[in-house]
Amino acid sequence: MTVSMNRRSLLAAMSAAAATSAGPVFGQARGEQILVVMWGAQWIEVCRPIGEEWLRATGDRVQWELHAGGAMGIVGRMRPQFPRIQQNLVAAWDPVFDAMIEADWLEPVSETEMSALKEIPEIFFKKDKQGRKITVPLSTAGAFWGYRTDLLDKPLENIEQLLEPRFKGKLCVPVPVNLSGLLMVSLAIQRGGNERNIEPGWQFLKELAQRGNIGRVVANNSEMINAMSQGDLSVAFWNTGGWQAVSERFPTRLLTRLNDNKGFLFNEGYVVMKGDNPAKIAAAKRFANHFATAEINTRYNMPLGSGPTNVNAKPADAIKDIFYKPDELAKYAYIPDYSYMSTQVDAWTRRWETEITPLVRQG
Amino acid sequence: MMRLPIAVWLIVPGAAALVLLMGGPVAVLTIDSLRPYIPGSIRAGDGYTFANYIELAKPAYFNYAYETFRIGLIVSAFSVAMGAPLAYVAVRSRRAIVRKGLLTLLVGLLVMSLIARLYAIEMTWGTHGPLAFIGAFVSGLAPRSPRYAEVLVAIGLMHFTIPIVALMLVGAFRALSPRLEEAAASLGATRSEAILTVVLPLAAPAMVSAYLVSLAMCISNFVAPLLLGRGVVVFTTNLMYTRFTDIGNYQAGAAIGVFMLIASFAVVYGLATIAKKFLPGAVPTR
């Protein structure tokens, strides 16, 4: 007897197998339509086929909505409607999770309902005031200084060198709201500070701006990738997703192992939104659990240049230089207090607008 | 029973739409602008405060508003200066192909995606663009300098104000009888004298209106400074976007919005008053 198997039936069988092995929520009624918020660019490219396979395997239908600007934007869009919101699952990162947890918008998740969560280390989860898990961590990403090696005569060895005249107009930096102010934290660390002692960072930033070394201020991934592709900027501080795209086009070096500075790590993933329709909440949990399984977690993170969170997932070869071995974490990596930073971003933005932008504009 | 004039009935739908669609959101925005912001929280604090408006009194925020209006005023002046001749030729040219071609071009420019045009401007006039040397020569700024971003933003704004201004003036020039220019010519005026002494004064009301519309489009523009401003040319609209979208400080964003509404009314009213004083025919009076 021969068994005929085409690509579609193979994918459907794989998804069905993953769904079956993923826990009790999959035993509930299928065929729900859920609205999932995701980033654009590579993120949605990876997610659409996963969603289509999911539909074929389970009957659950996924409607995608894309973040406009930073992930915090979705909070503004949902705020006037909450709790009567349409979104069931939202992809975001640490500071946005903190804001949503504080507002009590999120549905707790558990390993009983979502078996794939057992394969994610405890440290990656965010919890609510009652200590319940509240996020579905999917990626470990980072933010680092880096540069295009084809545009620099001699290597950049430490952050203090950014003040040199050779970097006039060459720096691409994020506005404080992007990456929750990690730029200032990085500069503060360089001068002996941190996120709670941020003043040294502001002083460093003012020096950079006064010397005309900041050539461009970007607000999202596309802007960073475009800016670094044009050739007039050589150094940037940005996240792994942006660097991944730049390094595909140009020779780059990420300064992930500086002795006197740090790279930053953060988590991205899903949160299940509260709502009055239990069937949709269950469907959202089923779908989030599917993303957390080892196979899909591998597929999701490979093109993003992010590290997977499922211990059984396979990280991409391209990120081996970006992510730290356990013994390197203390020396080179820093996980700041994002909850505290999210309370400071407003003040940091005002300070940027009143003290830094006028200096940058003078050139 | 007193019967209402037909004119009253005619304005009822528009007035009702204005009150509901504009008045409602502006009222909500005004109330939100008076609520306190709690750092790190999505929810507004209790009570009411003027703190969000007091913040705007800082010189840096005055500068953002000043820059927004300054660039808007300059761009609008250029737009009228360039749009008026285009409109005149589109109406008065003896060649039908020129008239139709110009009108098609103006309408076509409006149809083309603004985002595509702005990125095309960046590619053409930006640091490594083939026309960057012209922008640098005219502005006296190095294309790599942050201040050159102003030039890019101005070019971006003119891309959509010039067609609007020109199309508005097409109607005004059409309404002017060519016999007036012929009469001036029969009295010995050259073509340019006839345009300067007859056509332009008669078209002044329309040109003032077109200027104000262009100004309104510039100061409320968000995309051009966002994409071409390199993060250093920041309009008040960009400040508002940051407050609403990135920080979640809706109260401060609302305060900037209300402030800009009042400032825009004041500037437009002031300009209309000046135009009325120096160009008596430019603003209709009763």
Side-chain angles (χ1 to χ4, degrees):
Chain A
M1 189 179 80
T2 58
V3 178
S4 72
M5 179 72 89
N6 58 24
R7 188 178 64 87
R8 181 174 291 185
S9 57
L10 176 66
L11 290 172
M14 284 167 62
S15 295
T20 308
S21 64
V25 285
F26 295 95
Q28 296 175 15
R30 307 287 168 83
E32 283 297 328
Q33 164 119 20
I34 56 170
L35 179 57
V36 183
V37 185
M38 178 49 67
W39 288 282
Q42 306 104 304
W43 280 265
I44 193 66
E45 294 293 321
V46 181
C47 292
R48 279 197 203 284
I50 296 173
E52 284 162 19
E53 291 161 22
W54 183 251
L55 166 65
R56 288 195 289 272
T58 67
D60 284 341
R61 298 179 303 283
V62 179
Q63 185 189 344
W64 297 102
E65 178 183 323
L66 299 186
H67 282 299
M72 189 60 94
I74 192 66
V75 174
R77 297 223 305 279
M78 290 194 290
R79 181 178 173 256
Q81 280 94 34
F82 197 87
R84 292 176 297 280
I85 53 167
Q86 302 298 312
Q87 294 85 354
N88 306 110
L89 206 56
V90 175
W93 69 303
D94 285 331
V96 182
F97 293 151
D98 286 329
M100 289 176 163
I101 291 168
E102 198 276 337
D104 196 23
W105 282 8
L106 305 177
E107 187 73 25
V109 293
S110 71
E111 291 162 10
T112 322
E113 291 177 303
M114 303 166 70
S115 61
L117 302 189
K118 291 176 192 161
E119 295 166 12
I120 297 175
E122 191 79 8
I123 193 171
F124 291 148
F125 288 94
K126 279 197 171 284
K127 295 180 178 172
D128 64 9
K129 288 164 192 163
Q130 290 82 42
R132 298 173 298 183
K133 287 177 181 168
I134 209 91
T135 56
V136 183
L138 297 178
S139 307
T140 298
F144 309 98
W145 286 98
Y147 63 93
R148 273 180 57 175
T149 53
D150 58 328
L151 298 177
L152 258 60
D153 295 334
K154 55 179 183 176
L156 175 64
E157 302 290 353
N158 66 69
I159 304 307
E160 209 67 41
Q161 288 176 343
L162 293 176
L163 293 166
E164 292 174 6
R166 67 178 167 132
F167 293 112
K168 188 169 176 62
K170 300 276 190 182
L171 270 58
C172 173
V173 297
V175 289
V177 285
N178 271 95
L179 305 171
S180 275
L182 285 179
L183 170 71
M184 266 79 68
V185 181
S186 172
L187 297 175
I189 286 173
Q190 181 67 30
R191 298 278 176 88
N194 55 40
E195 68 269 33
R196 289 176 185 274
N197 175 21
I198 201 75
E199 200 53 38
W202 283 108
Q203 293 311 316
F204 196 164
L205 195 56
K206 274 185 190 169
E207 287 176 43
L208 289 173
Q210 277 164 343
R211 289 171 194 234
N213 289 8
I214 297 175
R216 188 144 186 164
V217 184
V218 292
N220 56 51
N221 254 25
S222 308
E223 279 185 44
M224 183 272 181
I225 295 162
N226 286 340
M228 291 303 289
S229 301
Q230 285 174 356
D232 51 327
L233 299 148
S234 52
V235 185
F237 179 83
W238 199 255
N239 64 29
T240 41
W243 278 120
Q244 168 94 344
V246 174
S247 62
E248 283 170 7
R249 306 174 197 185
F250 306 100
T252 54
R253 185 181 162 211
L254 255 65
L255 303 173
T256 53
R257 288 170 178 81
L258 288 165
N259 286 325
D260 50 2
N261 210 294
K262 303 277 184 183
F264 299 98
L265 297 178
F266 50 83
N267 281 129
E268 295 173 353
Y270 278 132
V271 279
V272 181
M273 304 306 298
K274 279 188 174 172
D276 51 11
N277 187 336
K280 281 190 185 291
I281 290 174
K285 287 183 177 177
R286 285 196 290 272
F287 194 58
N289 185 74
H290 184 53
F291 267 75
T293 56
E295 182 215 334
I296 301 300
N297 199 225
T298 302
R299 267 177 68 187
Y300 175 75
N301 282 292
M302 282 262 188
L304 299 178
S306 308
T309 51
N310 188 309
V311 291
N312 298 318
K314 185 173 176 278
D317 289 339
I319 63 168
K320 66 179 187 300
D321 289 336
I322 298 175
F323 287 93
Y324 305 108
K325 298 179 185 73
D327 58 319
E328 292 178 320
L329 279 169
K331 188 174 179 187
Y332 298 120
Y334 189 67
I335 302 175
D337 183 348
Y338 288 107
S339 300
Y340 171 77
M341 286 162 66
S342 68
T343 66
Q344 300 301 306
V345 167
D346 180 65
W348 290 352
T349 299
R350 287 160 197 267
R351 203 161 168 188
W352 174 278
E353 289 166 353
T354 53
E355 296 178 23
I356 306 299
T357 302
L359 293 174
V360 174
R361 191 155 184 197
Q362 286 167 10
Chain B
M1 196 174 104
M2 192 181 74
R3 291 187 64 187
L4 289 171
I6 186 74
V8 173
W9 289 111
L10 287 174
I11 65 166
V12 165
L18 206 63
V19 168
L20 287 172
L21 301 179
M22 277 198 69
V26 169
V28 170
L29 208 64
T30 307
I31 294 166
D32 223 17
S33 72
L34 296 168
R35 305 295 299 275
Y37 169 69
I38 303 171
S41 175
I42 298 162
R43 293 167 292 190
D46 295 329
Y48 294 93
T49 175
F50 282 106
N52 299 315
Y53 288 98
I54 293 167
E55 174 91 24
L56 298 178
K58 284 184 180 172
Y61 290 108
F62 173 80
N63 274 339
Y64 286 112
Y66 167 73
E67 292 284 273
T68 304
F69 280 104
R70 182 176 67 81
I71 293 172
L73 291 166
I74 293 169
V75 166
S76 299
F78 274 109
S79 301
V80 173
M82 292 185 217
L86 285 174
Y88 184 79
V89 173
V91 172
R92 290 286 195 268
S93 175
R94 286 175 187 157
R95 293 180 183 175
I97 191 166
V98 173
R99 294 197 304 272
K100 288 177 183 171
L102 265 177
L103 283 172
T104 308
L105 177 72
L106 292 171
V107 174
L109 280 171
L110 289 178
V111 173
M112 192 194 281
S113 160
L114 180 62
I115 303 292
R117 277 188 279 166
L118 294 179
Y119 277 118
I121 289 167
E122 173 72 38
M123 288 157 63
T124 312
W125 295 87
T127 316
H128 294 286
L131 299 183
F133 74 96
I134 298 176
F137 177 74
V138 173
S139 65
L141 299 164
R144 189 179 279 175
S145 74
R147 288 191 67 84
Y148 182 76
E150 259 185 58
V151 177
L152 293 181
V153 172
I155 294 171
L157 290 172
M158 280 194 282
H159 242 255
F160 70 106
T161 53
I162 289 177
I164 295 278
V165 164
L167 287 170
M168 282 181 75
L169 293 178
V170 161
F173 288 132
R174 267 201 188 128
L176 293 177
S177 171
R179 309 251 175 213
L180 295 169
E181 292 161 67
E182 289 166 12
S186 71
L187 292 171
T190 61
R191 181 89 189 267
S192 55
E193 283 172 340
I195 291 171
L196 285 172
T197 58
V198 176
V199 177
L200 288 184
L202 289 171
M207 290 170 73
V208 170
S209 298
Y211 181 86
L212 293 176
V213 168
S214 169
L215 177 64
M217 291 173 70
C218 289
I219 60 180
S220 61
N221 194 276
F222 164 71
V223 188
L226 184 77
L227 297 186
L228 300 174
R230 296 182 181 175
V232 293
V233 177
V234 179
F235 277 20
T236 45
T237 46
N238 303 121
L239 294 178
M240 269 185 267
Y241 177 80
T242 303
R243 299 286 184 284
F244 281 114
T245 304
D246 294 329
I247 307 172
N249 186 345
Y250 313 101
Q251 298 78 29
I256 299 172
V258 173
F259 164 75
M260 278 304 286
L261 184 68
I262 295 166
S264 303
F265 274 139
V267 169
V268 169
Y269 182 78
L271 287 174
T273 307
I274 292 167
K276 192 174 167 184
K277 187 173 180 184
F278 291 100
L279 298 166
V283 180
T285 53
R286 294 196 66 178

